[in-house]
Amino acid sequence: MANGTLVWRFPWAEIDPEVCDRAVKEALAAFPGTRLLKLGPPAPARARTYVVGFPLEMVTSSVEAFEDPPTPLDGKVYGRFVMVADAELGAGAVLEGKRNRGIFSLMRRLVDDAARRLGGSEARFAQPSTHVAGRTFGSFEDVLGHARAAWPLDGEDEDSFEIHLGDGDPEAAQVVEVVGFEAWSESWIVFWCTVCDADALTAQEAVEKNADLTFATLAKDGDVFRVCWSCPVSVLTPARFDELVLRIAEEADALRASDAR
């Protein structure tokens, strides 16, 4: 059984139930005999839960089911995932390992397909927060302390550090740099993530790409283009900080993938 939580991100801020339901139903075509339940209001909302029942014979053909046997109900094994929306950070799909015992691999295939149909990004494992939910940071030192506990860091300094994302392949790793500074009599941080060399884009192309960004800004920084986003430290909870780390990396990934030069 997978113990983590997978997150997919979508380039929109509200859930359209009809569009999401259609994508999930189309993805379910690859799993004959499944049953779909939807939990959530019928109008655009902040969350929509999908409960999927897989035929028991389909589940028991999976090695994962033998290693971590799930509990069947009426001849089916049920899993669930949630689509959530945030006006500031956009929307996403969340798949928790603990709620999908023995069928996590089946559910991941399903949500991967549905996310692709909705224009979503590749799944990433969410990083756990070690702070109390809802508590905001008071200083850059608070941010650094949380980051040390939750992420693999490098290049630590008194006012900056780097977070390395990826599966251990140095060539495929994304690096998000976090820098602290003082502005308007309070502590701020900025997130940076490199997209490409400076000669890969013209100034006009960079401005045009900015128009399509969900959040953040594409900026020339010396000999590279990077996406950046800043905010006061005091508005960030640990969970929101973790979310922003993933989002800034995803924006850089999307820009890099769209660069045809």
Side-chain angles (χ1 to χ4, degrees):
M1 174 184 176
N3 293 315
T5 297
L6 282 175
V7 178
W8 292 255
R9 279 295 165 190
F10 306 121
W12 25 273
E14 277 194 340
I15 292 174
D16 184 326
E18 292 184 0
V19 172
C20 292
D21 291 355
R22 183 167 60 250
V24 174
K25 288 176 181 177
E26 290 172 353
L28 277 172
F31 303 90
T34 53
R35 181 186 182 195
L36 175 64
L37 303 175
K38 299 180 294 295
L39 306 176
R46 290 179 57 85
R48 192 160 178 80
T49 300
Y50 292 87
V51 179
V52 181
F54 292 92
L56 184 58
E57 58 270 21
M58 183 184 296
V59 175
T60 54
S61 66
S62 166
V63 173
E64 182 183 354
F66 287 105
E67 294 175 344
D68 195 3
T71 303
L73 178 64
D74 297 330
K76 286 185 168 52
V77 176
Y78 288 86
R80 61 182 286 174
F81 70 96
V82 181
M83 289 192 185
V84 295
D86 184 292
E88 179 182 352
L89 293 175
V94 180
L95 177 66
E96 296 180 84
K98 65 182 179 181
R99 294 182 179 272
N100 295 278
R101 185 166 60 90
I103 60 170
F104 190 83
S105 60
L106 288 174
M107 290 295 291
R108 178 171 183 166
R109 284 169 51 198
L110 170 65
V111 185
D112 264 330
D113 192 359
R116 177 182 57 80
R117 296 171 188 274
L118 293 167
S121 64
E122 185 176 356
R124 292 177 182 268
F125 275 101
Q127 298 290 330
S129 174
T130 58
H131 282 58
V132 176
R135 180 180 297 171
T136 58
F137 294 125
S139 65
F140 182 77
E141 288 72 25
D142 290 344
V143 177
L144 177 58
H146 166 72
R148 282 173 175 159
W151 300 90
L153 303 189
D154 197 5
E156 286 188 42
D157 202 344
E158 62 180 12
D159 59 0
S160 67
F161 57 88
E162 295 177 350
I163 295 175
H164 288 243
L165 306 174
D167 299 320
D169 180 0
E171 297 298 323
Q174 272 282 41
V175 178
V176 177
E177 183 180 356
V178 181
V179 179
F181 61 97
E182 295 294 316
W184 298 339
S185 302
E186 62 179 323
S187 296
W188 284 59
I189 60 173
V190 59
F191 299 83
W192 293 94
C193 193
T194 300
V195 174
C196 61
D197 292 337
D199 58 4
L201 294 173
T202 66
Q204 180 177 342
E205 288 171 331
V207 172
E208 290 173 349
K209 287 180 180 291
N210 266 322
D212 295 326
L213 291 180
T214 305
F215 89 121
T217 302
L218 180 62
K220 184 174 179 291
D221 181 31
D223 58 357
V224 296
F225 273 107
R226 303 207 284 181
V227 284
C228 59
W229 192 83
S230 62
C231 67
V233 166
S234 60
V235 305
L236 291 179
T237 63
R240 180 52 58 89
F241 173 86
D242 293 344
E243 185 72 16
L244 285 168
V245 169
L246 295 176
R247 285 304 307 275
I248 201 80
E250 288 165 3
E251 293 278 39
D253 279 339
L255 285 168
R256 190 177 298 108
S258 68
D259 185 8
R261 291 176 59 90

